[in-house]
Structures are given as C-alpha cells and as structure tokens.
Amino acid sequence: MTHISTTRFPEEFLWGGATSASQFEGGWNEDGRGPSIGDHLSVGSRTTKREFSLSLDPNKHYPSHLAADHYHHWREDIALLAEMGFNVYRFSISWTRIFPRGDEDSPNPAGLAFYRALIDECLASGMIPMVTITQYEPPLYLAQEYGGWSNRKTIDFYLKFCETIMREFRGKVRYWIPFVEVNLTLTAFGEATSAGILPPEGPFPRETNSPERIQARYQAMHHIFVANAKVVKLAREIDPENHVGCMLAGPASYPLTCSPEDNLANLQSLQRDCWFCSDVAVRGEYPGYMKRHMAEEGISITVEPEDADLLRAGTVDFIGFSYYSSSCISAEGQSGVEGNNLAGVPNPYLKKSEWGWLVDPIGIRIACNLVWDRYQLPMYIVENGLGAVDVVTEDGRIEDDYRIDYLRAHIEQLKEALADGVDLRGYMTWGCVDLIAESTGQMSKRYGFVHVDFDDAGHGSGKRTRKKSFFWYRDVIRSRGENI
C-alpha cells in the first residue's frame, strides 16, 4: 500500500476545534438563562450512570451548572484557540440562553449579547464561527409542557430560535448545523437529550423501549427532519451565503465475521443508525429500507401533506460527522462495547482507551470514503478526540503524548482520505479546551489542548494551562499537517 504521509493539507483547509454550550459554558442560571434537560443530570463516573431528577438535590453535583466556566473565561479561551492558529471554531448556542422556556415571543437580550461578543471575538481573531444550533440541551419547559420534539408545535418554537440567531448574526455566521449527531435521536440517550422527551427519574440513560416511547422517538425524529428542512430554507432566505449541514455520529462499524448474516446485520445497522438521517437530509425523502423497518415494527407516525415537499426542498449543503472509535456488528446481538452511544461488540484487533472506547484511526478514513461515495457533498470532521486522565506535574506541565499519538494517527488517515478523492474541507477536534464529558459528566475525562483546573465535583480555580498537545497542534496547523 502506498502512503502519502508527507502531503500537506490544502491552503484553504479549516483547522480548529469544537465545544458545546452545556458541556463548556456554565453560567447555567445567569443573565436570564433557563434550565435545560442537561442541567438536571448529575455527575456520573466510569462505572456509575448519571441521574436525572426534576428536583435538584443540593447534595449532588450537576456538572453543566459550572462546566468549564467558559461563560466567564470566554475571552481568554478564544485567545488560546487563536494562539494555536485555529481558523474555525465550532460551538453551540444554548437555546435556553436565548429563549429560557423555549416558547417565548421575544428573545433574552443578555443571551444574544453574549454570543454577539463571542462571535465578534472569533472573527477578530481570524476564526470562522461554525454554529451548532442545538446540542444536547433541549429546554426543560418544552419537555414538560409539550413533550419536546414529539409535539409538532416544537418545530415553530425552534424555527423562531433559528430565525432570531440567524438574523442577529447575519453576515457573521455562515456555517450552521441545526442538530448535533442527529442519528442518536432514536437511542435511549437521544430520546431525552435530542428529542427532548422527558426521561424517567433515576439512572440516565435508561432503556425505555416501550412501544409508546419508541413511537414518540420516531415522531420526534420526523419533526426534526421537517424542522431541519425548514431551517435550510430559512437560512437561504436570510442570507444566500449561508451553508447548512447535517451532522452525524459517524459511520464506524464492521461485520464481526465474514458470514453473510454478520454482513447483513452491519449493513442494516448502518442504514438504521446512521444513513437514515443523512439520507433524509441529503436526498429529501425517507429511504425504502426505513419504510420497511418501520412497517415491520408497527411504527406509524403522523405526517402532514406538505411534509414531503418540505423535505425535498430543504436538502443540506454539507455533511459533518463526529468520529471517535468503531465497533463490530454481529447478527447474534450487540453488547460489550463502549463508544459514542451506538451499539456494537468489541473488535479483537483494536486497543481501548481508558474509558473503553476502541481506538481505530483507519476507521476515520473508511468513514470519510463511505460518506463521500454516498453523497458527494463537502465534508467536515466536526469532532474527533481522545478522552483521558491528564496528570499535572509538580512544575505545572501536562505531558499528554497519548493524545498527540491518537490525533496524529487520525490526521495521517485524513491525508489518505484526501488522496482517495474525498472532498474533506475541515477538521475540528473535540473539547479543544477541557470540558465535561457528555456520557459521564466528568471533567476528569479530558479531551483538550488546554487544561482547566476543575475536578469532577466542580472544585478548582478554573485556571487554564497549555498542555504539550497545545504546542504540537499549533505546529500541525502552521505546517498544514506536514509536521505531525
């Protein structure tokens, strides 16, 4: 096999990182912000689940309340990203910072002012802002009063949110991702954090696979599809220069064996857990394999007469996806693998991270090729990274060579994907400044180039410290991927 590891990335390639409001900002009840479902999730660990409760327990830590305290450190954080040479920064806007309940007539001025200042600072620092409109934090009020996205009324509430921020930041933000990892909506995790369906109290996520809740998930998914299509139309009306994308938790699975049964199981897993959402967003209609699956499972959703035309008219401009690890799929069932909320079984050929996620750099090249071959649309890696425990030495250094090794191996494979002909236009690492992990709520599961002095209980100074990987990634960007 010929490798091209010395090839530089294109001059116009976007290098940067990504965060989300609920995992990074903090300031959860400041300046008029309202509560989200995520604000009612307590911290977990490697062995214990987070817990959801409507009544906040003063004896428990709710990590999104403080997170990395970006709300009070944003100028410092943006300066650090600029120092690394970022030319793109992907972040999400907290829905409840703009509309505290989600259904108000008028936005919260303080919320708009915060993001206006943040966006202006990004632009002044040479960074393109790529905005995820909502990322795992639906308003708690909408979940309680309307059933979240299972209620079609939520489309209108969301469209008002989108129109507000798109008009407010017209000409400043031109890359929009309406929904993060939209294919996770049908999982137990996504039922609450994406679909906004109120979870049962107790350990989270809980497998709540009753026919009624599954039906609600699919109805919510349909409403999200319609909303996504309407956002595409709205964005183009507000500014023809806007680009709207679909974001997936990336396709990253293999059949466990070469048996036809495992190959079919893997194909169907990719179709239902990944391609379903992007097929609708890119092609503008429900794919045949999903119509069959829904019919066989007795899933019947309410579809309005105008929905088919809306989906066809509102197809996206680009594909973004997250990639952390891969898994194997077996016809015998899926269990025993940790990862980004998608099912599977362990791969005996791969090593695991500290949190049990399989490390598979070649998988990112495969994922890029699969997405490109299917859609022929511009593509961005909008999340990639390694969650690990970092040790601060007595003299204040963080020698995170394991993170460098992980990222280096993945960037090398992205070079190969470019040589394959993939139209890859950007790469964003996840949690470029330390933030809380969505899966466990832990700060100790760190992803960043910048260390944040908070522990899992929220104790610490919040001091920012550059890790060894900070300087390494700066050199990668400066050399356009040649010095890795």
Side-chain angles (χ1 to χ4, degrees):
M1 177 183 290
T2 301
H3 293 278
I4 54 154
S5 58
T6 59
T7 300
R8 284 189 168 195
F9 284 75
E11 285 190 28
E12 65 277 12
F13 194 81
L14 297 182
W15 294 95
T19 64
S20 79
S22 64
Q23 295 167 262
F24 192 40
E25 274 184 16
W28 78 289
N29 60 356
E30 295 186 46
D31 297 326
R33 183 187 180 278
S36 72
I37 285 179
D39 295 326
H40 285 251
L41 290 174
S42 65
V43 69
S45 70
R46 297 190 209 188
T47 56
T48 61
K49 286 188 174 184
R50 307 178 74 179
E51 291 194 353
F52 175 81
S53 58
L54 283 172
S55 299
L56 297 178
D57 185 340
N59 297 312
K60 290 183 178 179
H61 177 56
Y62 297 89
S64 70
H65 294 191
L66 174 66
D69 200 25
H70 176 65
Y71 194 66
H72 299 107
H73 289 263
W74 61 272
R75 288 188 187 277
E76 178 185 2
D77 292 339
I78 296 302
L80 286 163
L81 304 185
E83 184 182 339
M84 273 187 285
F86 281 25
N87 57 11
V88 65
Y89 172 45
R90 184 178 77 83
F91 59 93
S92 72
I93 290 181
S94 169
W95 190 343
T96 60
R97 202 175 288 287
I98 308 302
F99 290 96
R101 291 194 315 266
D103 67 347
E104 292 91 344
D105 292 328
S106 301
N108 172 26
L112 290 175
F114 170 72
Y115 290 110
R116 187 185 309 116
L118 177 66
I119 289 166
D120 286 345
E121 192 74 10
C122 287
L123 293 170
S125 301
M127 282 180 274
I128 293 170
M130 180 180 285
V131 168
T132 309
I133 297 174
T134 182
Q135 181 155 346
Y136 297 145
E137 52 170 1
L140 183 65
Y141 182 83
L142 292 188
Q144 290 178 291
E145 297 298 318
Y146 296 93
W149 281 99
S150 66
N151 189 330
R152 194 175 177 97
K153 290 181 181 179
T154 300
I155 297 175
D156 292 333
F157 300 144
Y158 178 72
L159 262 287
K160 176 172 280 190
F161 171 41
C162 293
E163 182 171 7
T164 298
I165 60 176
M166 285 181 171
R167 292 197 184 281
E168 182 71 27
F169 307 127
R170 185 182 187 277
K172 296 182 178 183
V173 177
R174 290 203 167 102
Y175 290 88
W176 303 91
I177 296 173
F179 300 95
V180 76
E181 295 178 325
V182 65
N183 51 320
L184 299 186
T185 302
L186 298 178
T187 65
F189 167 82
E191 179 186 85
T193 57
S194 297
I197 298 170
L198 200 66
E201 299 211 41
F204 180 86
R206 189 181 301 179
E207 292 296 335
T208 51
N209 290 326
S210 68
E212 294 78 15
R213 292 189 79 97
I214 290 176
Q215 183 83 13
R217 291 181 196 175
Y218 276 86
Q219 188 66 64
M221 187 82 261
H222 179 72
H223 293 154
I224 287 172
F225 287 151
V226 173
N228 197 85
K230 286 189 170 188
V231 171
V232 172
K233 181 175 182 292
L234 174 68
R236 292 169 181 164
E237 290 173 352
I238 291 174
D239 186 348
E241 296 298 314
N242 276 334
H243 304 273
V244 182
C246 170
M247 183 197 166
L248 303 170
S253 64
Y254 312 108
L256 181 63
T257 72
C258 57
S259 75
E261 290 81 7
D262 282 356
N263 275 267
L264 178 60
N266 185 56
L267 171 63
Q268 291 177 333
S269 175
L270 285 170
Q271 287 176 330
R272 296 169 188 169
D273 296 340
C274 185
W275 302 135
F276 169 37
C277 293
S278 49
D279 280 355
V280 175
V282 175
R283 296 171 175 170
E285 61 182 1
Y286 275 64
Y289 59 80
M290 210 63 196
K291 292 178 182 177
R292 172 181 178 175
H293 173 70
M294 292 169 68
E296 290 178 347
E297 295 297 318
I299 298 165
S300 177
I301 60 174
T302 300
V303 178
E304 298 300 325
E306 68 270 20
D307 289 354
D309 289 339
L310 285 169
L311 294 179
R312 281 194 293 270
T315 56
V316 296
D317 304 305
F318 68 88
I319 294 284
F321 66 89
S322 60
Y323 182 88
Y324 297 94
S325 62
S326 65
S327 65
C328 290
I329 300 296
S330 167
E332 300 300 317
Q334 320 309 327
S335 64
V337 69
E338 297 292 330
N340 194 22
N341 290 293
L342 291 174
V345 296
N347 187 329
Y349 296 96
L350 298 176
K351 296 180 180 180
K352 294 181 178 180
S353 74
E354 290 180 81
W355 268 263
W357 293 29
L358 296 166
V359 178
D360 179 15
I362 291 176
I364 201 170
R365 176 185 179 184
I366 295 171
C368 285
N369 274 274
L370 289 173
V371 173
W372 174 247
D373 290 347
R374 194 173 188 93
Y375 299 121
Q376 302 282 296
L377 280 180
M379 185 189 316
Y380 299 87
I381 308 298
V382 294
E383 290 183 24
N384 174 235
L386 176 70
V389 173
D390 292 333
V391 176
V392 183
T393 63
E394 289 185 3
D395 58 356
R397 292 178 294 109
I398 300 103
E399 302 284 338
D400 57 338
D401 293 278
Y402 39 86
R403 182 169 292 110
I404 293 171
D405 291 343
Y406 175 96
L407 295 173
R408 176 189 293 119
H410 286 74
I411 292 171
E412 286 175 343
Q413 291 300 319
L414 293 181
K415 291 182 181 181
E416 303 292 343
L418 283 166
D420 293 335
V422 170
D423 186 10
L424 179 65
R425 300 190 181 185
Y427 173 71
M428 284 147 263
T429 66
W430 175 244
C432 40
V433 178
D434 283 348
L435 40 62
I436 61 171
E438 183 67 48
S439 57
T440 63
Q442 292 175 279
M443 180 62 80
S444 58
K445 187 183 182 184
R446 298 178 183 272
Y447 285 88
F449 303 114
V450 177
H451 181 273
V452 176
D453 181 32
F454 287 128
D455 63 17
D456 288 347
H459 300 139
S461 66
K463 178 184 176 182
R464 274 60 172 157
T465 302
R466 298 164 183 81
K467 305 178 189 178
K468 183 176 181 179
S469 60
F470 178 100
F471 304 101
W472 170 82
Y473 195 49
R474 185 178 64 183
D475 288 344
V476 170
I477 295 172
R478 284 177 175 173
S479 67
R480 298 192 351 240
E482 189 170 34
N483 296 337
I484 59 174

